[in-house]
């Protein structure tokens, strides 16, 4: 999940930060596949479509 700083609202920045923290935690603890599902869940919940950006 990567947006340019100009495209981010304060809410989007907070979501990005929380995603990065969760991804780091999961990767450190051996959950490599879980990070893909986490990103998909966040994008689906917030209506973010990577292809439209």
């Amino acid at each position: 999940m990567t947006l340019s700083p100009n495209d981010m609202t304060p809410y989007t920045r907070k979501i990005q930060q929380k995603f990065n923290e969760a991804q780091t935690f999961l990767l450190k603890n051996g959950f490599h596949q879980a990070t893909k599902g986490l990103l998909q869940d966040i994008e689906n919940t917030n209506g973010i479509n990577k292809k439209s950006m």
Side-chain angles (χ1 to χ4, degrees):
M1 185 160 128
T2 308
L3 299 171
S4 71
N6 294 335
D7 294 334
M8 288 188 177
T9 65
Y11 179 73
T12 306
R13 278 191 283 280
K14 187 174 182 177
I15 295 287
Q16 178 72 47
Q17 179 184 2
K18 294 296 181 183
F19 170 77
N20 290 340
E21 290 170 5
Q23 184 179 43
T24 300
F25 173 82
L26 290 169
L27 289 172
K28 283 182 181 178
N29 291 287
F31 294 95
H32 300 283
Q33 290 299 319
T35 60
K36 291 181 183 177
L38 177 62
L39 178 58
Q40 179 111 27
D41 290 344
I42 292 170
E43 289 173 343
N44 291 341
T45 301
N46 291 293
I48 299 169
N49 182 350
K50 290 188 336 185
K51 292 179 183 175
S52 68
M53 295 185 182

